[in-house]
Amino acid sequence: MLQRVRPIPRWAIRRLSTAVLSRIDDEGDWSYSSEWWGPDSGAGDAGDVVFRSASDCGNGIVSVAAYPSSRPDRMEWSAMERWLERRYGEVCAEKEQKEQFRILGYQWRVLRFNENTRQSSVKVMAAYRKSDSVSVCLMQQPHCLAAPYLKSMVSAGLTTLASFGYDLSRAVCQKQTMHVLCIGHGGGSLPLFIASKIPGAIVHIVEIDPVVISASIQAMGFPILAAKNTSEHSSPLPQFSIIDQVLWKGIHERLFLYESDAETFICNNSNIYDLIFIDAYDGDDIFPHSLWDPNGEFLQALRDRIHPRHGTVVVNLHSDSDVLTHQGTNPEQLDYLLPMGKYISQVCRAYNNALGSLAFAVSVPWLCNTSLVACRGGHGGLTRDRYTVLNTLKSNARVVEDMLKLPFSCLQYIKKQFVLIE
């Protein structure tokens, strides 16, 4: 879930049809935020609403709005058409079928709760087969992370995992399985990104709201093949087709999307995860107390679900507007703690006490968010010294960037207002 620091200045707003942006490798760079954030400081441009449904899980009205995207350029569309045609030939090899595809365009799709709070922004491609021009398929672009807080979570999580001795290169080369859990689904861009960048990753996703699951599949191009066990009360999902295999074969087999309460899921399975991402705000923009209650079942069970040597948990938190005022704050650390507020510090300490040998928090560039990282393990040479920890993370950030060929720098997402949690 995104929370903005301040409105985009009007000079930075570019109407979607005339956007002229510098050519950069990262299609989700913040310089494109005017396309999917909207031109004002409130709810923003409403866009074209392509999905709207009422939630019974506390999220109010769940909607998805579409905005044109300036990237990739139309000249690049033919390469994607050829990729789709090759994939179709591979999937349908036994039938010796050939097919031609045409790209209709690219859009940003923005998920909102109560038609105001932005929960997720993804980029989708729309295409059709020439033999069936009526049926349009949507494919979320797995390489594109639009929100800085997601890049912060990925950067902090993977560099910490590497710093605690986990051999990420073996997972990238599919020589070992990396077990990942995402609590909170939104549009699904984070699990898709991890699964596409790390071929050895098996990614479980937990989402309590069936309407959010429906929105991500029907309107945000998330693979329907990942949805595993919706309940009898869930909104009906469309049947998958051969095109779903064309779009997602090789990735969907490693994605498992479960409709479940996070606490129930954690307390009732025996999986051991290397990395857990938590981003679970509701329609009132609240991080549920049950997910950070020091005396609750969730944190106690979470400890048992992460690897004892290198298990890492990353939590997205909204920074409060209030300055830390609780007792026990070290004045020398105040500059590092801002813009964390009173609730953020409580959540950080709850996770630190429950999980681990080390925990830290970093502020997210451009947004009023904080990434909390808590580790259970004690290996990898990290000590409780801010200078040593930060420099170890910086060194591993460059390794992770190169290994995964990331379109963004991890370094800027792990050093801003870095503070160890005591």
Side-chain angles (χ1 to χ4, degrees):
M1 151 79 210
L2 300 84
Q3 188 159 350
R4 184 74 191 281
V5 175
R6 57 183 180 275
I8 300 173
R10 293 195 175 276
W11 57 263
I13 304 301
R14 297 173 172 88
R15 292 307 299 170
L16 308 183
S17 60
T18 59
V20 178
L21 299 168
S22 59
R23 188 173 182 82
I24 56 177
D25 293 329
D26 184 5
E27 294 178 20
D29 187 82
W30 185 248
S31 60
Y32 293 99
S33 62
S34 59
E35 296 186 0
W36 47 266
W37 193 273
D40 62 36
S41 60
D45 184 350
D48 296 323
V49 177
V50 295
F51 181 96
R52 179 183 167 88
S53 183
S55 166
D56 293 328
C57 297
N59 291 326
I61 301 298
V62 177
S63 63
V64 177
Y67 303 85
S69 170
S70 63
R71 290 283 308 275
D73 187 87
R74 185 179 292 269
M75 295 177 62
E76 302 175 44
W77 294 6
S78 59
M80 189 62 183
E81 291 170 348
R82 291 192 296 272
W83 180 84
L84 288 168
E85 290 163 4
R86 287 196 303 270
R87 291 275 292 188
Y88 189 89
E90 294 168 2
V91 172
C92 302
E94 295 182 359
K95 300 179 181 179
E96 297 183 352
Q97 292 181 340
K98 294 184 178 181
E99 184 61 274
Q100 289 183 304
F101 284 80
R102 291 294 179 266
I103 303 297
L104 288 171
Y106 291 80
Q107 286 184 336
W108 293 105
R109 296 288 176 95
V110 179
L111 176 70
R112 288 192 176 98
F113 291 168
N114 291 318
E115 302 185 24
N116 183 22
T117 308
R118 294 171 183 83
Q119 293 290 328
S120 180
S121 295
V122 306
K123 180 174 286 187
V124 301
M125 174 204 69
Y128 69 92
R129 289 183 288 169
K130 293 193 73 173
S131 65
D132 183 14
S133 59
V134 177
S135 300
V136 176
C137 61
L138 290 179
M139 181 185 188
Q140 188 176 141
Q141 302 300 278
H143 62 277
C144 183
L145 285 180
Y149 86 87
L150 291 177
K151 294 175 182 177
S152 176
M153 294 178 75
V154 167
S155 299
L158 292 179
T159 55
T160 302
L161 201 61
S163 298
F164 270 74
Y166 183 83
D167 191 348
L168 186 60
S169 65
R170 289 180 58 82
V172 173
C173 297
Q174 292 184 279
K175 293 182 179 180
Q176 75 177 21
T177 300
M178 178 178 174
H179 296 279
V180 181
L181 172 64
C182 297
I183 295 177
H185 178 57
S189 58
L190 178 56
L192 266 182
F193 186 87
I194 293 294
S196 64
K197 286 293 184 180
I198 307 176
I202 302 293
V203 185
H204 292 175
I205 313 151
V206 178
E207 171 57 52
I208 192 174
D209 194 340
V211 176
V212 171
I213 293 175
S214 296
S216 71
I217 293 172
Q218 295 179 29
M220 305 183 80
F222 189 82
I224 186 175
L225 293 161
K228 300 304 177 185
N229 64 338
T230 54
S231 71
E232 60 182 13
H233 303 295
S234 302
S235 302
L237 296 172
Q239 294 296 311
F240 65 85
S241 67
I242 190 67
I243 298 302
D244 294 299
Q245 291 279 352
V246 172
L247 297 177
W248 297 113
K249 186 174 177 58
I251 291 182
H252 77 77
E253 300 93 337
R254 298 182 286 109
L255 287 169
F256 299 82
L257 173 55
Y258 299 102
E259 180 192 327
S260 174
D261 171 79
E263 185 172 350
T264 300
F265 185 88
I266 285 292
C267 293
N268 290 285
N269 79 75
S270 57
N271 299 321
I272 300 298
Y273 295 99
D274 302 300
L275 184 58
I276 297 178
F277 296 104
I278 302 177
D279 181 23
Y281 282 81
D282 63 18
D284 293 321
D285 211 13
I286 294 173
F287 185 58
H289 183 254
S290 62
L291 299 187
W292 63 274
D293 182 357
N295 301 313
E297 294 183 2
F298 177 79
L299 284 182
Q300 297 178 29
L302 188 67
R303 176 183 172 86
D304 296 331
R305 299 280 69 78
I306 59 176
H307 197 282
R309 291 193 299 274
H310 56 250
T312 300
V313 177
V314 187
V315 187
N316 173 48
L317 297 170
H318 293 177
S319 300
D320 305 308
S321 58
D322 298 332
V323 175
L324 277 173
T325 57
H326 66 279
Q327 295 181 351
T329 301
N330 183 347
E332 295 180 356
Q333 290 187 328
L334 190 57
D335 289 339
Y336 298 115
L337 287 169
L338 293 174
M340 297 163 94
K342 57 185 179 181
Y343 300 112
I344 298 299
S345 62
Q346 295 176 29
V347 175
C348 289
R349 287 184 172 84
Y351 273 82
N352 184 34
N353 293 336
L355 302 183
S357 64
L358 183 140
F360 65 88
V362 291
S363 294
V364 178
W366 301 291
L367 296 177
C368 202
N369 291 57
T370 296
S371 291
L372 162 66
V373 180
C375 317
R376 182 179 174 189
H379 299 273
L382 288 183
T383 62
R384 282 188 176 274
D385 172 77
R386 179 180 180 276
Y387 178 83
T388 302
V389 173
L390 183 55
N391 279 280
T392 302
L393 292 171
K394 287 181 178 179
S395 177
N396 280 292
R398 296 184 176 91
V399 175
V400 170
E401 288 172 29
D402 294 339
M403 188 184 305
L404 272 64
K405 297 181 174 61
L406 296 179
F408 54 86
S409 170
C410 289
L411 191 58
Q412 67 175 321
Y413 294 104
I414 63 172
K415 66 180 183 179
K416 184 181 180 184
Q417 295 178 318
F418 177 94
V419 60
L420 286 179
I421 307 300
E422 300 298 335

